[in-house]
Amino acid sequence: EVRMATELYQLSAKTVSKVILHATKYAHGEVCGCLLGRQEEHTVIVEDCIPFFHKAENKHSPLLEVALAQSESYAGTLGLKVCGFYQGNELSDDGSLHASTKKVGDSVRDRSAFPRACLLLLDNDAFTTFLSGETADRLPFTLYHKRGPRGSWEGCGRDNVRCQGGLTVRQVREVAAEGVASGKQRDLVDFSEHFCDVAKDWRNEKVVIA
């Protein structure tokens, strides 16, 4: 039972919605970003996310370091830490956790001194059926974590990944689907856009998720 407790993760409706908005805006590209959260006893609560890139090459450039540093600073103002990284692969049939993503996860884990850091991989097929409402009983993600400093990234059981605040997956789906239906993805800004036009705000404080 103790082992189960130490593996619990909760995702806020805001986090789920923003990852989905990012993937919807750049449906034909790879998207990624960092997760912001905190730990309460045995539970990691992922409260928000910062969209980073929609171009795979950005993840291998010095821009990643800049995006992480700015996100860490911003998280601190909210009383949060960078607690993970999310990834949506470019190809619809690619369900793998790329080596480069694991490397970023290791970096986040070390930089934030957050041993329970996680990687969130968007399931492209489940993403489509989740938005349509066909599969509204589970989140369209696989969450990976590491056991110990020398462990490898491994999937966390679905029973240990829940919605924050007692919301059901169906309720979170409604929030995300409403965001997409109302076109909020058009207003969402990632660091790829910010680096091209610094007037664009990567914090997305004006993108209100109900």
Side-chain angles (χ1 to χ4, degrees), residues 158-169:
R158 280 198 190 126
D159 289 343
N160 295 338
V161 182
R162 302 173 187 172
C163 302
Q164 184 196 4
L167 294 178
T168 65
V169 173

mmCIF file with all atom_site columns, all heavy atoms in Angstrom, residues 158-169:
data_model
loop_
_atom_site.group_PDB
_atom_site.id
_atom_site.type_symbol
_atom_site.label_atom_id
_atom_site.label_alt_id
_atom_site.label_comp_id
_atom_site.label_asym_id
_atom_site.label_entity_id
_atom_site.label_seq_id
_atom_site.pdbx_PDB_ins_code
_atom_site.Cartn_x
_atom_site.Cartn_y
_atom_site.Cartn_z
_atom_site.occupancy
_atom_site.B_iso_or_equiv
_atom_site.pdbx_formal_charge
_atom_site.auth_seq_id
_atom_site.auth_comp_id
_atom_site.auth_asym_id
_atom_site.auth_atom_id
_atom_site.pdbx_PDB_model_num
ATOM 1  N N   . ARG A 1 158 ? -2.383  3.297  -14.591 1.00 0.00 ? 158 ARG A N   1
ATOM 2  C CA  . ARG A 1 158 ? -3.455  4.279  -14.812 1.00 0.00 ? 158 ARG A CA  1
ATOM 3  C C   . ARG A 1 158 ? -4.227  4.601  -13.538 1.00 0.00 ? 158 ARG A C   1
ATOM 4  O O   . ARG A 1 158 ? -4.723  5.708  -13.367 1.00 0.00 ? 158 ARG A O   1
ATOM 5  C CB  . ARG A 1 158 ? -4.427  3.759  -15.875 1.00 0.00 ? 158 ARG A CB  1
ATOM 6  C CG  . ARG A 1 158 ? -3.903  3.975  -17.272 1.00 0.00 ? 158 ARG A CG  1
ATOM 7  C CD  . ARG A 1 158 ? -5.027  3.863  -18.292 1.00 0.00 ? 158 ARG A CD  1
ATOM 8  N NE  . ARG A 1 158 ? -4.427  3.840  -19.622 1.00 0.00 ? 158 ARG A NE  1
ATOM 9  C CZ  . ARG A 1 158 ? -4.662  2.906  -20.520 1.00 0.00 ? 158 ARG A CZ  1
ATOM 10 N NH1 . ARG A 1 158 ? -5.492  1.933  -20.243 1.00 0.00 ? 158 ARG A NH1 1
ATOM 11 N NH2 . ARG A 1 158 ? -4.096  2.947  -21.695 1.00 0.00 ? 158 ARG A NH2 1
ATOM 12 N N   . ASP A 1 159 ? -4.316  3.630  -12.641 1.00 0.00 ? 159 ASP A N   1
ATOM 13 C CA  . ASP A 1 159 ? -5.048  3.859  -11.397 1.00 0.00 ? 159 ASP A CA  1
ATOM 14 C C   . ASP A 1 159 ? -4.348  4.897  -10.522 1.00 0.00 ? 159 ASP A C   1
ATOM 15 O O   . ASP A 1 159 ? -4.954  5.455  -9.607  1.00 0.00 ? 159 ASP A O   1
ATOM 16 C CB  . ASP A 1 159 ? -5.180  2.558  -10.601 1.00 0.00 ? 159 ASP A CB  1
ATOM 17 C CG  . ASP A 1 159 ? -6.143  1.580  -11.256 1.00 0.00 ? 159 ASP A CG  1
ATOM 18 O OD1 . ASP A 1 159 ? -6.931  2.032  -12.113 1.00 0.00 ? 159 ASP A OD1 1
ATOM 19 O OD2 . ASP A 1 159 ? -6.097  0.385  -10.925 1.00 0.00 ? 159 ASP A OD2 1
ATOM 20 N N   . ASN A 1 160 ? -3.079  5.144  -10.800 1.00 0.00 ? 160 ASN A N   1
ATOM 21 C CA  . ASN A 1 160 ? -2.303  6.083  -9.987  1.00 0.00 ? 160 ASN A CA  1
ATOM 22 C C   . ASN A 1 160 ? -2.209  7.466  -10.621 1.00 0.00 ? 160 ASN A C   1
ATOM 23 O O   . ASN A 1 160 ? -1.480  8.333  -10.135 1.00 0.00 ? 160 ASN A O   1
ATOM 24 C CB  . ASN A 1 160 ? -0.902  5.536  -9.738  1.00 0.00 ? 160 ASN A CB  1
ATOM 25 C CG  . ASN A 1 160 ? -0.934  4.262  -8.907  1.00 0.00 ? 160 ASN A CG  1
ATOM 26 O OD1 . ASN A 1 160 ? -1.900  4.009  -8.192  1.00 0.00 ? 160 ASN A OD1 1
ATOM 27 N ND2 . ASN A 1 160 ? 0.091   3.449  -9.023  1.00 0.00 ? 160 ASN A ND2 1
ATOM 28 N N   . VAL A 1 161 ? -2.913  7.667  -11.727 1.00 0.00 ? 161 VAL A N   1
ATOM 29 C CA  . VAL A 1 161 ? -2.950  8.972  -12.396 1.00 0.00 ? 161 VAL A CA  1
ATOM 30 C C   . VAL A 1 161 ? -4.406  9.430  -12.405 1.00 0.00 ? 161 VAL A C   1
ATOM 31 O O   . VAL A 1 161 ? -5.259  8.810  -13.038 1.00 0.00 ? 161 VAL A O   1
ATOM 32 C CB  . VAL A 1 161 ? -2.405  8.894  -13.833 1.00 0.00 ? 161 VAL A CB  1
ATOM 33 C CG1 . VAL A 1 161 ? -2.407  10.279 -14.471 1.00 0.00 ? 161 VAL A CG1 1
ATOM 34 C CG2 . VAL A 1 161 ? -1.001  8.299  -13.848 1.00 0.00 ? 161 VAL A CG2 1
ATOM 35 N N   . ARG A 1 162 ? -4.683  10.496 -11.685 1.00 0.00 ? 162 ARG A N   1
ATOM 36 C CA  . ARG A 1 162 ? -6.067  10.937 -11.502 1.00 0.00 ? 162 ARG A CA  1
ATOM 37 C C   . ARG A 1 162 ? -6.226  12.418 -11.824 1.00 0.00 ? 162 ARG A C   1
ATOM 38 O O   . ARG A 1 162 ? -5.241  13.119 -12.045 1.00 0.00 ? 162 ARG A O   1
ATOM 39 C CB  . ARG A 1 162 ? -6.504  10.678 -10.052 1.00 0.00 ? 162 ARG A CB  1
ATOM 40 C CG  . ARG A 1 162 ? -6.376  9.220  -9.668  1.00 0.00 ? 162 ARG A CG  1
ATOM 41 C CD  . ARG A 1 162 ? -6.649  8.977  -8.214  1.00 0.00 ? 162 ARG A CD  1
ATOM 42 N NE  . ARG A 1 162 ? -6.356  7.583  -7.856  1.00 0.00 ? 162 ARG A NE  1
ATOM 43 C CZ  . ARG A 1 162 ? -6.360  7.124  -6.619  1.00 0.00 ? 162 ARG A CZ  1
ATOM 44 N NH1 . ARG A 1 162 ? -6.635  7.934  -5.614  1.00 0.00 ? 162 ARG A NH1 1
ATOM 45 N NH2 . ARG A 1 162 ? -6.087  5.861  -6.375  1.00 0.00 ? 162 ARG A NH2 1
ATOM 46 N N   . CYS A 1 163 ? -7.462  12.857 -11.835 1.00 0.00 ? 163 CYS A N   1
ATOM 47 C CA  . CYS A 1 163 ? -7.758  14.276 -12.055 1.00 0.00 ? 163 CYS A CA  1
ATOM 48 C C   . CYS A 1 163 ? -7.733  14.991 -10.711 1.00 0.00 ? 163 CYS A C   1
ATOM 49 O O   . CYS A 1 163 ? -8.184  14.455 -9.695  1.00 0.00 ? 163 CYS A O   1
ATOM 50 C CB  . CYS A 1 163 ? -9.125  14.443 -12.701 1.00 0.00 ? 163 CYS A CB  1
ATOM 51 S SG  . CYS A 1 163 ? -9.284  13.589 -14.285 1.00 0.00 ? 163 CYS A SG  1
ATOM 52 N N   . GLN A 1 164 ? -7.227  16.205 -10.735 1.00 0.00 ? 164 GLN A N   1
ATOM 53 C CA  . GLN A 1 164 ? -7.134  16.987 -9.500  1.00 0.00 ? 164 GLN A CA  1
ATOM 54 C C   . GLN A 1 164 ? -8.512  17.485 -9.063  1.00 0.00 ? 164 GLN A C   1
ATOM 55 O O   . GLN A 1 164 ? -9.405  17.702 -9.888  1.00 0.00 ? 164 GLN A O   1
ATOM 56 C CB  . GLN A 1 164 ? -6.194  18.180 -9.717  1.00 0.00 ? 164 GLN A CB  1
ATOM 57 C CG  . GLN A 1 164 ? -5.955  19.009 -8.464  1.00 0.00 ? 164 GLN A CG  1
ATOM 58 C CD  . GLN A 1 164 ? -5.362  20.367 -8.757  1.00 0.00 ? 164 GLN A CD  1
ATOM 59 O OE1 . GLN A 1 164 ? -5.189  20.736 -9.909  1.00 0.00 ? 164 GLN A OE1 1
ATOM 60 N NE2 . GLN A 1 164 ? -5.079  21.134 -7.719  1.00 0.00 ? 164 GLN A NE2 1
ATOM 61 N N   . GLY A 1 165 ? -8.647  17.681 -7.765  1.00 0.00 ? 165 GLY A N   1
ATOM 62 C CA  . GLY A 1 165 ? -9.856  18.316 -7.238  1.00 0.00 ? 165 GLY A CA  1
ATOM 63 C C   . GLY A 1 165 ? -11.089 17.442 -7.246  1.00 0.00 ? 165 GLY A C   1
ATOM 64 O O   . GLY A 1 165 ? -12.215 17.948 -7.181  1.00 0.00 ? 165 GLY A O   1
ATOM 65 N N   . GLY A 1 166 ? -10.890 16.136 -7.358  1.00 0.00 ? 166 GLY A N   1
ATOM 66 C CA  . GLY A 1 166 ? -12.036 15.230 -7.333  1.00 0.00 ? 166 GLY A CA  1
ATOM 67 C C   . GLY A 1 166 ? -12.860 15.213 -8.606  1.00 0.00 ? 166 GLY A C   1
ATOM 68 O O   . GLY A 1 166 ? -13.940 14.612 -8.650  1.00 0.00 ? 166 GLY A O   1
ATOM 69 N N   . LEU A 1 167 ? -12.370 15.875 -9.649  1.00 0.00 ? 167 LEU A N   1
ATOM 70 C CA  . LEU A 1 167 ? -13.096 15.871 -10.926 1.00 0.00 ? 167 LEU A CA  1
ATOM 71 C C   . LEU A 1 167 ? -13.008 14.500 -11.583 1.00 0.00 ? 167 LEU A C   1
ATOM 72 O O   . LEU A 1 167 ? -12.023 13.780 -11.426 1.00 0.00 ? 167 LEU A O   1
ATOM 73 C CB  . LEU A 1 167 ? -12.519 16.924 -11.875 1.00 0.00 ? 167 LEU A CB  1
ATOM 74 C CG  . LEU A 1 167 ? -12.666 18.390 -11.487 1.00 0.00 ? 167 LEU A CG  1
ATOM 75 C CD1 . LEU A 1 167 ? -11.994 19.283 -12.527 1.00 0.00 ? 167 LEU A CD1 1
ATOM 76 C CD2 . LEU A 1 167 ? -14.129 18.776 -11.333 1.00 0.00 ? 167 LEU A CD2 1
ATOM 77 N N   . THR A 1 168 ? -14.028 14.155 -12.332 1.00 0.00 ? 168 THR A N   1
ATOM 78 C CA  . THR A 1 168 ? -13.986 12.919 -13.110 1.00 0.00 ? 168 THR A CA  1
ATOM 79 C C   . THR A 1 168 ? -13.300 13.202 -14.444 1.00 0.00 ? 168 THR A C   1
ATOM 80 O O   . THR A 1 168 ? -13.191 14.368 -14.868 1.00 0.00 ? 168 THR A O   1
ATOM 81 C CB  . THR A 1 168 ? -15.395 12.384 -13.392 1.00 0.00 ? 168 THR A CB  1
ATOM 82 O OG1 . THR A 1 168 ? -16.086 13.339 -14.232 1.00 0.00 ? 168 THR A OG1 1
ATOM 83 C CG2 . THR A 1 168 ? -16.177 12.175 -12.110 1.00 0.00 ? 168 THR A CG2 1
ATOM 84 N N   . VAL A 1 169 ? -12.856 12.147 -15.106 1.00 0.00 ? 169 VAL A N   1
ATOM 85 C CA  . VAL A 1 169 ? -12.245 12.307 -16.423 1.00 0.00 ? 169 VAL A CA  1
ATOM 86 C C   . VAL A 1 169 ? -13.256 12.934 -17.379 1.00 0.00 ? 169 VAL A C   1
ATOM 87 O O   . VAL A 1 169 ? -12.918 13.783 -18.207 1.00 0.00 ? 169 VAL A O   1
ATOM 88 C CB  . VAL A 1 169 ? -11.748 10.947 -16.967 1.00 0.00 ? 169 VAL A CB  1
ATOM 89 C CG1 . VAL A 1 169 ? -11.271 11.089 -18.408 1.00 0.00 ? 169 VAL A CG1 1
ATOM 90 C CG2 . VAL A 1 169 ? -10.622 10.404 -16.096 1.00 0.00 ? 169 VAL A CG2 1
#
